[in-house]
Every structure is written in C-alpha cells, then in structure tokens.
C-alpha cells in the first residue's frame, strides 16, 4: 500500500462502535477489558479465539455477551468424546411429509459459536469444526452451506484437567487467530460480581449496539487499512527470529504472520488510527503467535514457555521508526 485506504472519519466511527460493543460486553463480563478487546479484534479481523482457562471464569458469558452486543445468534457446543461431526455441522434428514431429504443445520450456523472444552472431543469431530472455521461452509451430499457472517468461534480448553482429552495438534492450533485466557477477576471486580442484584453474568441484559451486517462491513473495510512497508518488514523479521531461535523447534508460520497483520489493522483502528505503529505489533504478537510456536524437548524440560521465547525475539528485533502514511 502506498497510502491510507481508510478515511479518518471512518476510523473515528469505528472507534466509537468498538467502544460501544466493548462496553456492552462489559455489562456482563466485568474487569476484563483487555480480553474483551482481543476477542473483538478477532471478530472484526475474521478470525477465531482459543481460550485456555479453568472452569467458572466467564468463558460462556463472554461468548454470549459478544453475540448479544452485535445482535447475532450464539450457540454453545459441549464437546465430549462421543460427540460426532454431524452433531456440530448438521446432517441430512428425511422429511416424511414432503418425501424429500433436507439439510438440518448444526450449531455452527451461528454468528458466535462457543466450542466448550474442544480438546475432549475425538480428532475427527475437532477436524470437522476446524474445517468449518477455515472454509466457512459445510458440505453435505455435495451441497455447500455457508455459515452466517460474521462467524466467530470461541473454543475453550481446560489447561488443568487433562484426563480423557485429545490434545489439539500444532497444525490445528494454527487455525486460531488468537489465544488468550480470562483469568480470575481482580478483587474489586469479583466483589461486584458477588454482590446481590449485580448485572454481572446476566447475558440477557447485554444491550444490542450494532448488527452482524455492520460488523461484516467494518471487517472488510479494515482489511484495507494502511500498513507501511517498514511495519511489514518488522513483522517478517519477527517471524524469521522465531524460526532461528535455538529453543524453538517450530517458528511462526506465514499464516501466523498474516493473522498478525490483520489483527494490528483492527487494533490500530480501535485506537483511532488509520495506520499501524510498532507498538501495535508488540501488543498483539504474543496472543497471535505464541500458540503457533513449538519448543524443543530440551526447552520443555527446562520449563521454558513460548511466550518468553517470543518476548526475547521481540526484544532482539530492531524496532522501525513509526511513520504515518
């Protein structure tokens, strides 16, 4: 790009909309604005989110609150070992009244889909969901059925209880645009949640402040937001640094770097800018790239994490001077 493709008035309008959606979600999810912002980045960037957290931290509430704020449809799928792919995507059924076979949509046909404890389902069922996440269609009997737009999958994993689970392979983790966790709330926010009569956790009270159509339009618009050549080179050099890191067996993929570009476009617009600065890249590099990296066996045994290795790569790569278009 050689110049800003998105006007300042459009960015100003998006910033207001983003703040309205975030504030609407926060009526049900208290004290987690940074997590809410990350989920909204994925929503407007057309990606999906993996939440790794213990039960009871508000994962379901967060997904349903996002759907409520955008006025879309939400569905929850509890993944279990006996869950079949057709239980997720849908299947063809015979209608005795008409004598025809028709498609009965599964729960993936929603704007926001919560895939609860995705690692408890067998690999075949996981793959069925991940294929829909990538292709955004369900093909049954040779007929493609498109899922609605926008389409956001919020999948959860419990990092503590691993009995009876099927670990997601690295290639499947790469399908998620972002990985984050909600975590326990700060004490003042937890007191607010515990207080009788509090609206925290009440998804039915989340105000609808936009529509799926508007979210889709802004998502397409922001994909043209200006990213200067030095910023693109900076992102590329971060990827190269991870691939040459001695403690990593697998560095950032090109798909991961492209996801980072899409995320910083949305994040910059949410800050009211029609261009990206290096700080945007540094802010989102860990949630976008860390889950795509694979440590060496020696690094694992030494207790290293992909987050700290990525932080070292970020510190080692020279930061370009921020330039506005």
């Amino acid at each position: 790009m050689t110049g800003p493709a998105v006007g300042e008035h459009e960015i100003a309008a998006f910033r207001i909309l983003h703040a309205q959606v975030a504030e609407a979600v926060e009526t049900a999810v208290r004290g987690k604005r940074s997590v809410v912002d990350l989920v909204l980045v994925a929503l407007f960037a057309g990606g999906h989110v993996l939440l790794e957290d213990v039960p009871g931290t508000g994962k379901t509430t967060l997904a349903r609150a996002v759907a409520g704020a955008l006025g879309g449809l939400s569905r929850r799928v509890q993944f279990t070992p006996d869950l079949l792919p057709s239980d997720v995507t849908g299947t063809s059924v015979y209608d005795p009244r008409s004598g025809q076979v028709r498609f009965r949509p599964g729960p993936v046909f929603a704007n926001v889909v919560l895939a609860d404890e995705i690692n408890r389902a067998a690999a075949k069922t996981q793959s069925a969901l991940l294929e829909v996440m990538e292709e955004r269609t369900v093909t049954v009997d040779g007929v493609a059925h498109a899922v609605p737009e926008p389409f956001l999958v919020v999948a959860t994993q419990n990092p503590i209880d691993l009995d009876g689970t099927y670990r997601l392979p690295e290639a499947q983790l790469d399908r998620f645009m972002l990985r984050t966790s909600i975590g326990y709330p700060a004490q003042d926010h937890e007191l607010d949640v515990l207080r009788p009569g509090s609206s925290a956790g009440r998804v039915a009270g989340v105000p609808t402040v936009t529509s799926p159509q508007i979210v889709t339009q802004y998502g397409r618009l922001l994909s043209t937001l200006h990213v200067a050549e030095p910023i693109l080179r900076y992102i590329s050099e971060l990827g190269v640094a991870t691939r040459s890191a001695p403690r990593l067996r697998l560095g950032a993929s090109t798909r991961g770097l492209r996801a980072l570009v899409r995320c910083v476009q949305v994040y910059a617009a949410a800050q009211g800018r029609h261009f990206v600065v290096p700080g945007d890249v540094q802010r989102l590099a860990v949630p976008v790239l860390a889950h795509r990296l694979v440590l060496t066996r020696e690094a694992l045994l030494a207790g290293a994490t992909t987050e700290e290795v990525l932080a070292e790569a970020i510190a080692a790569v020279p930061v370009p001077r921020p330039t506005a278009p």
Side-chain angles (χ1 to χ4, degrees):
M1 300 180 190
T2 58
V6 187
E8 292 189 16
H9 67 284
E10 295 165 319
I11 293 300
F14 173 74
R15 185 182 187 184
I16 294 172
L17 174 66
H18 180 276
Q20 290 175 337
V21 175
E23 290 166 6
V25 174
E26 282 193 302
T27 61
V29 182
R30 302 292 175 82
K32 294 297 177 181
R33 181 59 178 263
S34 62
V35 179
V36 171
D37 285 342
L38 284 177
V39 173
L40 294 185
V41 164
L43 173 67
F44 285 100
H48 308 285
V49 179
L50 179 63
L51 292 178
E52 289 190 341
D53 228 325
V54 296
T57 52
K59 299 183 293 292
T60 301
T61 301
L62 174 59
R64 293 180 60 196
V66 171
L70 65 89
L73 184 64
S74 68
R75 289 285 184 267
R76 178 178 181 269
V77 184
Q78 180 65 53
F79 278 66
T80 56
D82 60 347
L83 192 73
L84 299 175
S86 59
D87 296 330
V88 176
T89 60
T91 186
S92 295
V93 296
Y94 175 74
D95 187 350
R97 291 175 296 181
S98 63
Q100 297 180 337
V101 177
R102 59 183 179 84
F103 176 67
R104 177 179 292 171
V108 293
F109 287 85
N111 297 112
V112 181
V113 178
L114 176 65
D116 214 355
E117 295 188 288
I118 187 175
N119 56 330
R120 293 202 176 276
K124 192 171 184 179
T125 304
Q126 292 177 359
S127 297
L129 174 64
L130 292 164
E131 182 179 351
V132 179
M133 289 165 52
E134 182 71 16
E135 304 296 333
R136 298 180 182 266
T137 58
V138 174
T139 302
V140 177
D141 297 331
V143 179
H145 305 271
V147 296
E149 291 187 344
F151 178 58
L152 170 68
V153 172
V154 180
T156 71
Q157 286 190 138
N158 183 348
I160 305 300
D161 183 11
L162 300 178
D163 291 337
T165 62
Y166 300 82
R167 182 175 175 271
L168 287 174
E170 285 76 13
Q172 294 186 351
L173 285 174
D174 199 43
R175 303 289 180 179
F176 290 96
M177 179 171 277
L178 292 162
R179 182 186 68 176
T180 187
S181 63
I182 298 178
Y184 294 113
Q187 187 175 17
D188 55 342
H189 292 295
E190 190 166 44
L191 288 173
D192 187 27
V193 173
L194 297 176
R195 189 169 291 113
S198 171
S199 62
R202 295 184 181 178
V203 180
V206 174
T208 299
V209 295
T210 184
S211 69
Q213 294 76 21
I214 292 176
V215 171
T216 300
Q217 290 170 6
Y218 270 111
R220 292 171 179 166
L221 177 68
L222 295 180
S223 67
T224 65
L225 188 138
H226 181 75
V227 184
E229 190 69 21
I231 299 294
L232 293 175
R233 189 173 299 276
Y234 179 49
I235 292 173
S236 176
E237 290 172 352
L238 282 178
V240 172
T242 63
R243 295 163 195 162
S244 59
R247 292 195 290 173
L248 290 180
R249 180 164 56 90
L250 183 66
S253 66
T254 302
R255 174 162 52 197
L257 299 181
R258 289 191 65 184
L260 182 55
V261 172
R262 286 290 292 116
C263 286
V264 296
Q265 286 177 307
V266 175
Y267 184 78
Q271 309 309 305
R273 285 183 273 104
H274 59 278
F275 56 92
V276 175
V277 299
D280 301 332
V281 178
Q282 296 165 351
R283 167 70 180 84
L284 294 177
V286 169
V288 175
L289 298 180
H291 64 287
R292 306 171 193 267
L293 310 178
V294 180
L295 294 167
T296 63
R297 185 179 300 274
E298 293 76 16
L300 278 170
L301 293 175
T305 65
T306 55
E307 288 82 2
E308 65 184 36
V309 176
L310 181 56
E312 291 175 0
I314 295 172
V317 175
V319 179
R321 180 175 302 218
T323 57

